[in-house]
Amino acid sequence: MTVIDNTLNADGALIVGAGLAGLFTALKLAPRPVTVLSPKPLGMGASSAWAQGGVAAAVGQGDSSHAHAADTEMAGAGIVDHGTAESVTAEAAARIEDLARWGTPFDRDDFGNYALGKEAAHSANRIVKVEGDRAGWAIMQAIIAEVRRTPSIRVVEGITALSLARDNGRIVGVFCRKLGDRYSEPVFIRARATVLAAGGLGGLYAVTTNPPGVRGHAMGMAARAGALIADAEFVQFHPTAIATSADPAPLATEALRGEGAILVNDLGERFMPAIHPDAELAPRDIVARANFRQIQSGRQVFLDTRQALGADILTRFPTVSQYCLDAGIDPVAGMIPVTPAAHFHMGGVKVDERGRSSLPGLWVCGEASCTGLHGANRLASNSLLEATVYGARIADDIGGLEPVRNLAPFKGIEWDEAEGAKAEAILRDLPAVQQLRRVMTDLVGVERDVAGLSLALQQIARLEATAEHVTSAFLNMTTSATLVAAAALKRTESRGGHYRTDFPETDEHWEHHTTMALDEALAIRANA
Ligand SMILES: Cc1cc2nc3c(=O)[nH]c(=O)nc-3n(C[C@H](O)[C@H](O)[C@H](O)COP(=O)(O)OP(=O)(O)OC[C@H]3O[C@@H](n4cnc5c(N)ncnc54)[C@H](O)[C@@H]3O)c2cc1C
């Protein structure tokens, strides 16, 4: 193995994480020097590559960014920042052009216009997509190729960040380790500007659509360094993860319901029309709760695509079809068993309109951040958009601060795929990690109440105190879990993705963001 020089210096910016947020920021910083840390080879381990729907942007005839912003605010259940929604949707078309220029083969009609898809709660067809359900994969392939062609971007693969380094109140870099290596001394990478783009926290839940490495490390790291966290309680549960024994659960994209697929239970009853006028295309949280309640009452839930798509599902939704075939489900003749699964975190590290966190020297981009765009519930396909818009803004902001210099080439760590996979499996299967994920799904999930949330906080504290190898990685996870449960306990109402069975109504006194530092979350935990 190559040994990392402990004095490795990222003279330019340092980007932690290599999903769309991290790589887009790196490309926008070019030709300014930047180092990108990725636990796995580029393209692996990021939610971005798994996105099926696409990127929301008002680029169709008759559509407008104002209409897109209005839909975003409607979905966000009263706490989307109006200015943020207006400005992000206004910048969408330019960011789509960036992705196209870097080689993303977006679906187009015969005239070269984008062929747009429709997803729930959008008032127009505005999902820019690739081959039906392959947007994430195709976007990542294109930008990875562009990153590899860009000499100012230095990628270090096989490395995972553990903690942010703080000096005099300023973030000055990160402490890292080779993926899965819990025994060697951490490496310190110094940076003038650190961009945290290490994703959301779906993997903290036992039932999730997120890749195994995406489990709250970013928010946990930032909170431990003292950053303010916003809206941690708002977790979006996707209603239609495919119910197989696979962990993570593969996703059956919402676009299937956009095409007319319906939800039925094992008695053949279609239940959504009685719950919401938009039936299967009701906001995600409503559909997720409906599915959850069916399952809680002993029923099974299926997505029936037969009438809407028939055999076309194979060509129009190749990713979903393959997931079904892998699980022994016939996607043409059969129905797809589905379950709600933790999917997206609306909350995260609080940032301003330039992507700056509350800690000097630290910018946060993508799902790790809370920009105020999603409010209590994300509008479908707004997250890839947010990653690109803020990636560009952060690059602008850092570009104005940092001197341009060239970086010496750095070979990085050799990626040993077998060792990496083993390390990840060990981490994932540690009993304490599995217990934590179970606590989150059972007690901090689709439906919450005071008793469950209090018990969750007690159990998280116990796991933190008694887990056999309390590493920084585990502490990042328990820290994020604590923040989500504490914020959920504090918000005594239901709104968007946060549903309290003991406070089922939306309360206008709560029509605002929750802002919390780790101290407060720990105090709530201590009193639970
Ligand atoms: C199945 C699925 C389908 C989706 N479909 C859509 C869609 O159609 N449209 C849409 O807008 N959104 C969709 N989303 C949400 C969207 O994909 C994510 O919100 C978005 O990709 C987040 O991008 P990101 O760059 O912030 O994080 P990610 O893409 O998750 O990347 C995080 C990166 O950080 C790395 N990392 C993690 N921990 C560490 C650490 N400790 N140190 C260093 N690096 C670390 C990871 O390895 C990865 O490289 C979907 C999500 C999933 C899971």
Side-chain angles (χ1 to χ4, degrees), residues 123-487:
S123 59
N125 283 25
R126 66 166 72 98
I127 312 302
V128 185
K129 59 193 176 56
V130 183
E131 286 177 41
D133 62 6
R134 307 193 76 191
W137 183 85
I139 290 170
M140 289 298 283
Q141 290 306 304
I143 65 168
I144 287 168
E146 188 66 19
V147 162
R148 302 275 190 215
R149 284 192 290 268
T150 306
S152 58
I153 303 177
R154 177 166 67 177
V155 176
V156 185
E157 291 166 321
I159 193 162
T160 181
L162 302 172
S163 304
L164 295 168
R166 223 181 134 161
D167 186 21
N168 270 330
R170 187 179 173 85
I171 297 302
V172 292
V174 294
F175 293 101
C176 314
R177 268 206 183 115
K178 188 156 72 67
L179 180 69
D181 183 349
R182 290 183 281 133
Y183 303 106
S184 65
E185 280 292 301
V187 175
F188 171 48
I189 304 184
R190 184 185 294 282
R192 293 197 180 184
T194 301
V195 182
L196 193 54
L201 51 68
L204 275 181
Y205 285 79
V207 185
T208 180
T209 60
N210 287 195
V214 176
R215 46 187 168 199
H217 294 302
M219 190 170 86
M221 247 183 278
R224 292 201 298 117
L228 282 179
I229 304 302
D231 296 347
E233 65 274 35
F234 293 114
V235 177
Q236 184 172 81
F237 295 88
H238 199 290
T240 58
I242 303 177
T244 68
S245 53
D247 175 22
L251 185 72
T253 174
E254 192 164 85
L256 291 159
R257 280 174 281 133
E259 293 293 331
I262 56 168
L263 289 163
V264 294
N265 64 21
D266 53 341
L267 302 176
E269 297 161 346
R270 185 179 174 199
F271 47 88
M272 279 313 301
I275 294 174
H276 195 278
D278 293 336
E280 280 81 4
L281 290 179
R284 255 181 206 178
D285 59 302
I286 293 176
V287 185
R289 265 198 308 283
N291 286 358
F292 177 79
R293 286 178 182 164
Q294 288 284 328
I295 292 167
Q296 290 294 99
S297 72
R299 305 262 59 91
Q300 278 180 287
V301 178
F302 296 92
L303 188 64
D304 188 350
T305 64
R306 293 173 299 182
Q307 184 97 39
L309 287 160
D312 285 354
I313 192 172
L314 297 174
T315 48
R316 293 184 54 199
F317 296 93
T319 308
V320 175
S321 299
Q322 193 55 51
Y323 286 148
C324 288
L325 294 169
D326 291 347
I329 300 160
D330 180 344
V332 177
M335 296 195 295
I336 305 170
V338 290
T339 180
H343 183 61
F344 180 80
H345 192 212
M346 277 72 77
V349 186
K350 185 175 162 55
V351 295
D352 68 11
E353 69 286 353
R354 290 169 297 186
R356 292 183 182 191
S357 75
S358 61
L359 299 175
L362 180 68
W363 286 254
V364 187
C365 192
E367 198 171 330
S369 67
C370 181
T371 64
L373 175 69
H374 307 299
N377 201 5
R378 175 189 65 136
L379 183 65
S381 288
N382 262 357
S383 39
L384 294 179
L385 171 64
E386 181 189 48
T388 59
V389 168
Y390 278 83
R393 292 183 185 183
I394 289 170
D396 262 0
D397 198 31
I398 293 174
L401 301 176
E402 297 296 317
V404 177
R405 280 200 246 157
N406 285 328
L407 288 183
F410 174 69
K411 188 165 175 291
I413 299 173
E414 283 165 18
W415 171 253
D416 181 330
E417 194 170 342
E419 282 300 309
K422 203 164 76 189
E424 191 168 72
I426 290 172
L427 272 180
R428 190 173 53 194
D429 296 340
L430 280 180
V433 173
Q434 287 303 0
Q435 286 166 35
L436 178 64
R437 297 179 73 207
R438 205 63 255 171
V439 166
M440 294 301 283
T441 285
D442 292 346
L443 304 174
V444 198
V446 178
E447 294 190 339
R448 302 147 174 196
D449 64 18
V450 63
L453 291 168
S454 305
L455 182 61
L457 284 164
Q458 291 161 20
Q459 295 198 354
I460 296 164
R462 183 182 55 77
L463 285 169
E464 201 175 281
T466 59
E468 219 175 300
H469 304 287
V470 179
T471 58
S472 303
F474 188 60
L475 212 51
N476 289 335
M477 294 173 69
T478 53
T479 298
S480 276
T482 300
L483 282 155
V484 175

Side-chain angles (χ1 to χ4, degrees), residues 62-122:
D63 198 4
S64 74
S65 62
H66 299 302
H68 183 182
D71 291 346
T72 300
E73 288 185 63
M74 180 68 80
I79 60 165
V80 168
D81 293 342
H82 175 70
T84 304
E86 286 287 345
S87 66
V88 169
T89 54
E91 287 165 48
R95 301 292 77 86
I96 295 289
E97 286 308 311
D98 287 334
L99 292 173
R101 182 163 47 86
W102 289 328
T104 307
F106 288 121
D107 292 349
R108 295 183 189 256
D109 64 19
D110 294 342
F111 305 100
N113 303 314
Y114 295 113
L116 301 169
K118 172 115 166 65
E119 288 189 327
H122 282 279

